[in-house]
Amino acid sequence: MAETLAIVPFEEGDLDVIMGIENASFPTPWTRQCYLDLAPLDSISFFVVKLKGEIVGYMLYQRWAEEMELHTIAVSPSHRRTGVAKKMMEHMTADAEKRGVKRIFLQVRPSNAPARSLYTSFGFHVIGARRGYYRDNFEDALVMRMELP
Ligand SMILES: CC(C)(COP(=O)(O)OP(=O)(O)OC[C@H]1O[C@@H](n2cnc3c(N)ncnc32)[C@H](O)[C@@H]1OP(=O)(O)O)[C@@H](O)C(=O)NCCC(=O)NCCS
């Protein structure tokens, strides 16, 4: 399955599908405007994953010199556990290596076992917590970091 996936840059016409996945995936989804504002920034990388032309996932990350932050990654509920997120994480880490990035950061809910397992499998580890960070239930945010060679 993973080899038939294509990772391509975001286009504005992708937003309807992205928002469908976003609203199905996050308790406090980002808005369309949020994605539209971030997409053109030089520091932002925004990709969608297509399976036979259908968008099944997306990721958005940002780079500042030797550091990167993964802001969002999501997979359509009907395509989870088929390696889509793994493919996106591989894409991001390969991009980071190519661009001389030394560290990648992200935030995750302690309750989000699938995402934590995904990140741990890529070498991320918890370096701290932001108390009461999430505004829907005041859950902490775990801050995770991965070091690149
Ligand atoms: C987290 C998420 C992106 C994973 O996407 P996915 O395409 O299903 O993940 P993959 O199939 O590529 O799985 C890769 C690894 O992630 C982990 N993983 C994914 N789903 C998991 C689950 N339900 N339970 C436990 N581990 C899971 C496993 O380590 C898995 O490797 P394995 O299949 O060899 O065990 C997806 O569940 C999602 O979109 N969740 C909602 C949005 C979200 O929480 N994003 C992260 C915010 S921090």
Side-chain angles (χ1 to χ4, degrees):
M1 150 78 97
E3 54 285 356
T4 63
L5 297 169
I7 300 191
V8 295
F10 161 82
E11 292 176 0
E12 210 172 312
D14 300 335
L15 258 185
D16 284 347
V17 178
I18 288 174
M19 290 312 300
I21 299 173
E22 177 84 14
N23 290 323
S25 297
F26 297 105
T28 53
W30 285 10
T31 61
R32 294 177 76 91
Q33 196 56 48
C34 184
Y35 282 110
L36 284 172
D37 289 346
L38 286 171
L41 301 183
D42 285 343
S43 59
I44 291 286
S45 298
F46 189 5
F47 295 98
V48 300
V49 185
K50 291 187 177 175
L51 176 66
K52 297 180 191 147
E54 179 196 356
I55 295 171
V56 295
Y58 55 92
M59 78 184 318
L60 184 148
Y61 55 88
Q62 191 162 22
R63 182 176 75 97
W64 302 269
E66 294 186 341
E67 295 192 351
M68 240 180 206
E69 177 139 357
L70 174 59
H71 288 305
T72 195
I73 180 167
V75 174
S76 144
S78 54
H79 292 84
R80 288 186 188 158
R81 295 307 316 244
T82 60
V84 176
K86 185 166 180 244
K87 177 103 174 172
M88 289 193 276
M89 293 294 289
E90 286 168 353
H91 178 88
M92 178 182 70
T93 51
D95 187 26
E97 271 185 49
K98 202 170 63 193
R99 296 161 85 178
V101 167
K102 299 272 189 279
R103 292 166 292 280
I104 309 177
F105 296 88
L106 58 82
Q107 290 182 177
V108 63
R109 291 176 191 253
S111 62
N112 192 344
R116 290 182 65 183
S117 166
L118 171 72
Y119 300 146
T120 302
S121 73
F122 273 82
F124 282 86
H125 58 274
V126 174
I127 56 162
R130 295 188 172 132
R131 296 281 164 226
Y133 177 86
Y134 292 102
R135 61 189 189 278
D136 59 322
N137 63 356
F138 299 104
E139 190 173 0
D140 295 347
L142 296 179
V143 180
M144 300 185 84
R145 183 181 65 204
M146 173 206 188
E147 307 276 350
L148 285 124

